[in-house]
Each structure stands twice: as structure tokens, then as C-alpha cells.
Amino acid sequence: RVDTMKMTTKKLAFLLLFLPLTLLYSIFFHYYVAERENTASVILGSLQDVLTELSFTLSKNLDKEENLSAIRPYLDRVVAQNDFISAILVVDNQNILLKTDPHIQKIPVKEGFIFTQERSKYEQLLHKVGLEGEIRFYEGDKLKRFGLIFLFDKESLGVYIESGKDKYILLFGVMPLLVLILIALLLKYYMLSPLERLRQYAYYQSVVPDVMKLRELEAIRASMVQSFVRLENEQKELHKMARTDLLTGLSNRNALHEYLKRLFAEHERLGNEFALLFLDLDHFKVVNDSLGHDVGDKLLRSVAGEIAEVLRIQDFVARVGGDEFIIILRHYHSVNELVHVIDRIQNRIKKGWIIETQPITITSSIGVAFYPKDGSDEVSLMKHADIAMYEAKKKGRNQFYFFTEALNQEVMHHIELMRSMKGALANGEYQLYYQPKVNLTTGAICGVEALVRWIHPDKGLIPPNEFIPLAEESGFIVELGEWILRTAAMQKHEWSRRGIDIAMSINIATKQLQDMNFLAKLDRILKSTGANPKRIDFEITEYVFMDESSDNIALFNTIRKKGITVSLDDFGTGYSSLSYLKKFPIDHLKIDKSFVDDYNTERGAIFLETIVKMGQTLHMNIVAEGVETKEQMEALQKMGCTYYQGYLCSKPLPANEFETLYFLSEHE
Ligand code: C2E
Ligand code: CA
Ligand code: CA
């Protein structure tokens, strides 16, 4: 860890205090030693002066050895006057001639008196025993020399020299230490502790530290507090944003998720029920596409505002997709009351809007699922409300639908079908049926429409209305359509070999045509089956022609060039923009059964006639679908319709049954 190598503020403070302190100590120690030496040197000097003076005085006054004892009082006085001298001896070689202290028996060794320059005066003074001088006088004319010795009073010397020591230690030893402690305390109080508090604050942000005494630290503290407050606000804002739909300001999916979790928990305790509404605007895409996203966004905002206004405090609304809203209603007393709220929401949305001066009318479809009856978790509850919403759409939009178990069963059935559709193809469960197309003038069978059937091993015959829309939804229709195309082409070829030379109409789904490989597949099928494209017809619904791009037009021109004809299926039921009739090469118009059913009402007859006339003008053959009665047939004949299809002649039949029918009609 790099950390451990880093200097802490504490260490730094300690170092900063310790270094000058030791420097101070060493300086003071140096002066102390010098001072002591100085004192020692002064004492020694004065003792030497006393010695010199005494030896001079004695040398001058002494004339006989016998008179030595007479100077004894004199020596006693010197000893008494001088604290540092304990005794004075007068010696002759090894004999003590005179002594001021009777206890002294022996003369100390010579070295005890020799002072040198090298050693410190203080130490010598402590360790040497005394000073040695000389008394010289003439007894007659004979020079006499005696040693004069001062013995030190070690005790007094020590006391005197060391006397300043205590004061000194107190002043220069303890005081700085106290100052050091004081500084350390101040450092701790003003810096280290506040720094630690700042660190804690940076870490936990739990307790905001008090105002700091040091201006710099206070500046840091203030800016830290400011930053944390700002961060916290930003965090709150982010938290809110993560739960808010930016466009409408309503809750979003995250918030819904949290809200549901809370409701589920509440249910555990209180057993509350609630209704989850899945609201989807009808044809919102049209608004978006035709008036632009800006208008679409504004409409969404307005709708959101309107929904929020209808709801009560305890209700909840979130936008979870482009034009999808989830509304949660609680505390209703009856389903009637609930329906009332739903009505209010739908009516509020339905009232006309004016957005950027554009008048817009929009409706909504709502699916309702109840918790816990219709789903005990978020996923199933949402799914079931969604299913109910789709049902509302299917029933014509601008309405609501309650999720029911039956509805669920139906959806499950669809899912099951979707799953087994693929396997059914491999198992050969699909079969083509053929319905004759009859010439209204001659009464002859001039063609067939191939219609797929699913013969399910358990469920029996499944009509195409049940699975074709699912196959289209899942994209499986591309695969299935290829099989249908190949099977029909094969059948067509087989029949023409056997003298049944009639047109074969094949239904082609939108997704099949959008498949990039459609033409390649078509060519491959034509080649492998050997079928003559001349009498093949593709039945296509209007939806395909809504795409008026040059690519799409070119596709039909290519198909037509092969000799294949094109029928416009279910004419009149879809988007009735007629512009595509000019742009696309269409050979036949198939009038939807619903128009044929209305043939005997005034309006219905006018409609039929108009379509037939239009077809004639545009040089198209008209095929009437779903003709069930002779009357219908005759009416169509009169109008100049070319062909008809319907139970009047025959239901769709398996290939062999159709053959029988065909040959029978030939021989009529
Ligand atoms: P469609 O193409 O409009 O087919 C005509 C439907 O009307 C057929 O229903 C036919 O059986 C039925 N029909 C014919 N004459 C009468 C009549 O006199 N009365 C009544 N009530 N009905 C009559 P089907 O075979 O159930 O097919 C339904 C729809 O399924 C077809 O409508 C077509 O859209 C789709 N479909 C059927 N087979 C295929 C197929 O091979 N490929 C594709 N892509 N769609 C298919
Ligand atoms: Ca058809
Ligand atoms: Ca049709």
C-alpha cells in the first residue's frame, strides 16, 4: 500500500516540533557545559591566586624550619576563609611537616595535583585532589624548599558548580517540553481533529462538522458542505428523473414497478384489490406520421394531463410506451364505479384537441385486469391488461374491455397455435383446398382459388382465419406461403397435364412480397414444378399497394412480365384510396362478400354497380366473392360482372373432389 509510505499530518507536526526542540536542547547543552567550565576555571584561578599569595607570604616570612608551627594559625585562617579548601599541608618530600587537619596521615600521590590544559577544568577540579605550590626561604644561607598543598573540599566544590543545574534544567529542559505539549495540543485542537472530522464527513456525510477555527479549513469545510448538498440535490433529481417520463412528467416504467411492488406488499397485509388499466391511443401513429412528432408529443402531453386530472390522489398513472399508459385505480366500490372512471377518462381524451392550430380527434382503447384475480404478479397482470386492450381494439377501438379467463384461453390458444404451426408444416398437416371461379356469362369453371387448411391431428380442421393472421404476425407466413405457392403450382401443372387447363389463384400475404427473396423463390418454384405462369394469378390485398414506392411497383411489373396476373382481393374493405389502381398493373378486382350480401338494398346495389363500372372502365375483370344464391348471381350477371366465386357453385374442395366437380360440369 502506498498509503503506509505517506506522511501523516501527525507525523509531520511531530517532526516539525521535534527537530527545533533537539536543536534547542543541543544549543543549550553546549552553553551549559561552557558555563560550567567557566565557573570551574574561575574557582581554579582564584584558588591558584590564594596559593600563590600564601606561598609568597610564607616564603618571605619564614626563616627557620623550627618556626613552621608558628604559621599554623595563619594556615587555619586561610582554610576557614576559603570554602573550597578542606586542608592545607606543608610537606618535605614524603613527610608532612605541618597540617591543618590532624586526620590526614598521608600525602596524596603526585598526579592528584597536576592540572593539564587538554582536559576540562570542571572535570579536573572534580577528580584532582588539590593544588600544589612551594615555600622557599633561606635558613642562613641555605635554601629550603617545602611543598605547600591545598586539599580541595570536594563537597563544597560540587555543590557550588552544580548549584545552577536545577534551575537550568527547569528553564531549558522542562519549559520547551511544556511549550511542545502546548503546541501539540493547539495543533490537535485547531488542525488535526478538524481535519479528521472533515475526513469523516467526506466519508460518511452523516454529521456536518461545526464551523472550523482555522480560516483555510473553514473554507474547505464550507465548500465541502456546499458540494455535498448540491450532490444530494442532484441525486434526488436523478432519482426523480429515473422515475419520471420526461415527455409528459408522469411516472415511468420504473416508478410503476416500484408502485406495484408497494401495492403487492400492501395486499399481503390488508388484502386490497386494485384494477390495472392498459390504455393505448387509437391510431396515434397516424397523427405522428401525418402531423409530425412535435404535434404527436404535444398531444401526448395534453392527454397525459387530462388523464392525471381525472384521477384521484390515490390513483396512479404512468406512461410506459409511445402512446401507452398504465393507470391503477384503487378504492372503487363496484365495477360500475370503475366503469364510470374509465368512461370519464375516455371521454376526456375523445373531446377534440387543437394542437398548433390543428384540430385533432383521438380515441383510446383500454384493457382492464384486476389484481389478484387476473394476475398475481406484475408480468401477468400487465400482460392480461394488454390482452384485454387488444380485444378492445379488435372490437372497433374507442372502448374498454375487461380481461376474462375466456379471453386468456383464446390468447393462450393463439400462442399454442403459433408454436405448433411450424412443426405442422414438417408433419404435412397443411393441405390446399380449391374453390372454383365461375364465368358468369358461360357458367363454366374457368379457375380456382387455392385456400389453405390445417388438418390438426387432435383439433381437426383449423380454418385459415384462425391461423393465417397469426402466421402473418409471427412471420411464419413467409415459409408457409412458399409451401402454398409450390403446392399450388405443382397442382396447376398436374391438372394442365390432365386436361384441366384453368387459372390458379394463389393468395399472397403482404409479408411474403416484402421478403427480399420472393422473386428468386418464385422463379425456383416455377422452374422446379414446370408450371406455366401464364395461368397463375396472385391474390393480393390493398395493404400491399399502400406502398407506392417505385421498388414496389417494379416488383409487380416483374411478376406481370412472367405472365402471372394480379387480383386485388377483398376490394372495398380496406383503405379506399384509389390512386394505386392507376399505378399498379391489376388484372382483376375481387369484390368482397359484404358488398355481395347487400346486393338487394338500394345503396348496396349502387355500390356494386359502381365498382363493376369502374372495373370495366379500367379494363379489369370483376370477381364477386361469396355468392350463395341464384338471385345474387343473376343480379351480378345483369350488372356485367365477369366471374363469381361462392357456395352457390361450391365450397373450397380437396383436389380430388374438385376434379370430380370439374369433370361433371364439363359434361353438363
Ligand atoms: P379470402 O382470400 O377472401 O378467401 C375467401 C374466403 O371466403 C375463403 O375462406 C372461402 O372459403 C370463403 N368463401 C367462399 N365462398 C363463400 C361463400 O359463398 N360463403 C361464405 N360464407 N364464405 C365463402 P377461407 O378459406 O376460410 O379463407 C379465409 C381467408 O384466409 C382468406 O380470405 C384469405 O385471406 C386467408 N387465406 C386462406 N388461404 C390462404 C392462403 O393460402 N394464403 C394466404 N396468404 N391466405 C389465405
Ligand atoms: Ca383470396
Ligand atoms: Ca377475398
Side-chain angles (χ1 to χ4, degrees):
R1 297 262 314 272
V2 195
D3 240 45
T4 52
M5 292 166 60
K6 289 209 179 125
M7 173 91 81
T8 61
T9 333
K10 237 182 223 170
K11 264 192 213 160
L12 181 68
F14 181 74
L15 259 175
L16 285 180
L17 290 174
F18 179 78
L19 284 177
L21 194 79
T22 39
L23 194 70
L24 259 178
Y25 270 147
S26 48
I27 289 171
F28 284 128
F29 185 71
H30 177 78
Y31 275 109
Y32 172 69
V33 170
E35 178 70 19
R36 209 171 51 181
E37 186 64 14
N38 203 25
T39 313
S41 158
V42 168
I43 293 170
L44 195 64
S46 85
L47 285 176
Q48 238 142 15
D49 283 351
V50 173
L51 182 69
T52 313
E53 204 187 295
L54 187 65
S55 82
F56 175 73
T57 316
L58 292 180
S59 300
K60 217 170 74 182
N61 294 326
L62 220 60
D63 48 6
K64 274 194 193 113
E65 197 179 335
E66 289 93 86
N67 293 345
L68 256 181
S69 54
I71 64 166
R72 166 83 193 265
Y74 192 64
L75 295 183
D76 279 341
R77 205 171 72 229
V78 172
V79 170
Q81 274 172 353
N82 206 317
D83 281 347
F84 303 133
I85 301 170
S86 68
I88 299 176
L89 309 177
V90 180
V91 298
D92 177 21
N93 282 328
Q94 291 310 309
N95 307 313
I96 298 174
L97 302 180
L98 188 65
K99 49 186 177 186
T100 57
D101 184 348
H103 301 103
I104 296 169
Q105 302 299 332
K106 216 168 100 216
I107 307 169
V109 286
K110 193 83 180 152
E111 286 75 44
F113 304 109
I114 298 167
F115 278 75
T116 63
Q117 285 304 315
E118 295 94 65
R119 295 190 63 195
S120 98
K121 295 268 187 331
Y122 164 74
E123 295 219 334
Q124 295 189 74
L125 207 56
L126 283 189
H127 295 121
K128 302 288 177 185
V129 290
L131 285 174
E132 190 180 29
E134 214 179 20
I135 306 172
R136 298 153 56 113
F137 64 93
Y138 285 91
E139 203 176 58
D141 54 352
K142 198 168 158 229
L143 180 67
K144 288 259 181 177
R145 289 164 166 234
F146 297 137
L148 179 65
I149 291 174
F150 281 6
L151 289 180
F152 294 150
D153 184 335
K154 287 280 165 143
E155 211 172 306
S156 303
L157 264 180
V159 168
Y160 186 82
I161 293 174
E162 302 286 326
S163 68
K165 204 174 171 182
D166 291 348
K167 213 170 75 196
Y168 190 88
I169 285 176
L170 190 76
L171 209 66
F172 298 114
V174 179
M175 283 301 277
L177 209 68
L178 287 177
V179 171
L180 180 84
I181 290 169
L182 189 75
I183 292 175
L185 282 175
L186 285 175
L187 262 177
K188 193 173 153 64
Y189 179 71
Y190 283 103
M191 254 179 78
L192 298 179
S193 302
L195 275 175
E196 174 59 17
R197 262 181 285 142
L198 282 182
R199 192 188 67 79
Q200 294 260 349
Y201 180 53
Y203 239 85
Y204 307 110
Q205 289 125 56
S206 47
V207 194
V208 181
D210 296 337
V211 175
M212 314 234 135
K213 305 261 179 348
L214 280 186
R215 194 182 292 169
E216 285 83 355
L217 287 184
E218 172 54 20
I220 293 173
R221 187 200 72 99
S223 54
M224 258 169 95
V225 171
Q226 214 173 34
S227 297
F228 282 135
V229 168
R230 204 190 56 228
L231 271 175
E232 200 177 329
N233 286 339
E234 278 171 5
Q235 210 174 19
K236 273 189 199 145
E237 187 63 24
L238 272 176
H239 184 82
K240 213 176 104 197
M241 254 163 60
R243 276 151 196 75
T244 311
D245 169 44
L246 287 180
L247 179 67
T248 61
L250 295 182
S251 297
N252 65 8
R253 207 174 261 281
N254 291 340
L256 170 69
H257 178 71
E258 278 180 7
Y259 186 76
L260 280 176
K261 246 167 76 183
R262 242 181 300 144
L263 287 191
F264 293 156
E266 203 180 288
H267 173 79
E268 293 273 290
R269 285 184 286 117
L270 308 169
N272 289 347
E273 288 186 9
F274 62 86
L276 186 136
L277 278 56
F278 201 116
L279 184 150
D280 189 288
L281 296 179
D282 299 328
H283 298 305
F284 176 72
K285 200 172 136 41
V286 176
V287 174
N288 237 358
D289 290 351
S290 56
L291 301 178
H293 287 261
D294 262 11
V295 174
D297 284 355
K298 281 189 181 133
L299 178 66
L300 281 176
R301 264 200 289 269
S302 308
V303 167
E306 208 68 19
I307 297 173
E309 219 168 84
V310 174
L311 299 183
R312 296 156 302 179
I313 290 286
Q314 68 267 30
D315 299 330
F316 175 90
V317 55
R319 189 173 79 114
V320 293
D323 60 341
E324 295 171 344
F325 297 84
I326 296 282
I327 299 162
I328 291 171
L329 300 177
R330 311 161 67 193
H331 312 303
Y332 43 86
H333 295 102
S334 63
V335 174
N336 266 345
E337 199 183 312
L338 193 67
V339 166
H340 198 69
V341 179
I342 294 171
D343 267 341
R344 282 233 308 281
I345 293 172
Q346 287 193 309
N347 285 334
R348 287 274 205 121
I349 293 173
K350 201 161 57 183
K351 78 163 197 214
W353 300 94
I354 294 187
I355 300 211
E356 287 184 351
T357 71
Q358 281 280 353
I360 299 174
T361 28
I362 194 141
T363 55
S364 59
S365 300
I366 294 180
V368 187
F370 291 98
Y371 176 86
K373 177 174 77 77
D374 296 333
S376 55
D377 59 86
E378 186 175 342
V379 174
S380 64
L381 198 59
M382 296 267 282
K383 197 179 82 190
H384 292 164
D386 190 21
I387 288 171
M389 189 274 292
Y390 260 98
E391 200 57 28
K393 293 235 175 208
K394 264 210 302 220
K395 293 237 155 32
R397 301 170 207 268
N398 185 28
Q399 50 195 294
F400 59 86
Y401 197 89
F402 284 89
F403 177 82
T404 58
E405 197 40 48
L407 183 58
N408 190 34
Q409 289 296 323
E410 194 186 311
V411 172
M412 287 318 201
H413 176 63
H414 283 177
I415 291 170
E416 159 64 22
L417 281 188
M418 262 201 217
R419 243 202 303 266
S420 49
M421 242 183 267
K422 232 188 162 120
L425 187 59
N427 292 344
E429 292 171 23
Y430 296 103
Q431 210 177 318
L432 288 188
Y433 277 40
Y434 301 91
Q435 185 179 40
K437 215 173 254 186
V438 183
N439 188 315
L440 271 166
T441 356
T442 64
I445 294 175
C446 57
V448 282
E449 178 182 359
L451 293 156
V452 71
R453 298 289 178 265
W454 180 356
I455 322 285
H456 195 280
D458 309 322
K459 298 190 176 89
L461 193 143
I462 303 174
N465 285 336
E466 250 184 60
F467 67 87
I468 291 291
L470 298 179
E472 282 179 350
E473 207 175 295
S474 69
F476 173 63
I477 192 69
V478 174
E479 218 177 318
L480 180 61
E482 194 183 339
W483 176 87
I484 292 168
L485 193 59
R486 189 181 311 109
T487 312
M490 246 152 59
Q491 188 64 66
K492 156 101 186 45
H493 188 60
E494 162 80 11
W495 277 341
S496 60
R497 272 200 316 121
R498 289 169 40 201
I500 311 179
D501 200 14
I502 52 171
M504 170 71 76
S505 286
I506 304 165
N507 292 286
I508 308 288
T510 314
K511 278 223 173 119
Q512 278 178 274
L513 291 165
Q514 284 164 351
D515 172 20
M516 301 292 282
N517 301 320
F518 179 73
L519 282 178
K521 283 177 187 167
L522 175 64
D523 284 339
R524 216 163 40 224
I525 288 169
L526 289 176
K527 208 169 152 201
S528 68
T529 58
N532 179 8
K534 285 265 152 51
R535 305 209 67 183
I536 288 180
D537 177 68
F538 282 173
E539 293 195 7
I540 287 147
T541 59
E542 275 175 320
Y543 298 97
V544 174
F545 299 123
M546 283 171 73
D547 172 10
E548 295 185 5
S549 68
S550 54
D551 276 2
N552 201 28
I553 295 172
L555 174 69
F556 280 92
N557 285 328
T558 315
I559 291 172
R560 280 288 290 343
K561 254 185 224 139
K562 294 181 197 295
I564 297 172
T565 57
V566 175
S567 291
L568 175 50
D569 209 350
D570 304 334
F571 182 69
T573 57
Y575 290 82
S576 315
S577 146
L578 296 175
S579 67
Y580 61 82
L581 286 180
K582 280 192 302 183
K583 294 194 176 136
F584 288 90
I586 298 165
D587 302 278
H588 317 285
L589 278 188
K590 294 192 78 176
I591 306 177
D592 192 68
K593 180 176 183 300
S594 55
F595 294 100
V596 174
D597 287 344
D598 279 356
Y599 83 103
N600 53 0
T601 66
E602 200 186 326
R603 278 175 65 89
I606 292 173
F607 242 96
L608 272 178
E609 269 196 72
T610 311
I611 296 171
V612 172
K613 286 264 154 57
M614 189 187 70
Q616 284 167 345
T617 318
L618 293 172
H619 304 292
M620 293 173 183
N621 292 313
I622 310 295
V623 186
E625 287 187 288
V627 176
E628 293 177 341
T629 65
K630 233 177 148 149
E631 288 75 32
Q632 286 173 331
M633 185 190 75
E634 280 163 8
L636 289 161
Q637 247 169 353
K638 260 192 223 136
M639 286 173 200
C641 185
T642 342
Y643 308 102
Y644 88 86
Q645 250 180 281
Y647 294 174
L648 180 64
C649 171
S650 167
K651 287 191 171 189
L653 300 169
N656 57 344
E657 286 179 36
F658 172 76
E659 282 164 28
T660 317
L661 176 80
Y662 181 80
F663 287 122
L664 271 177
S665 72
E666 282 267 276
H667 296 290
E668 247 173 29

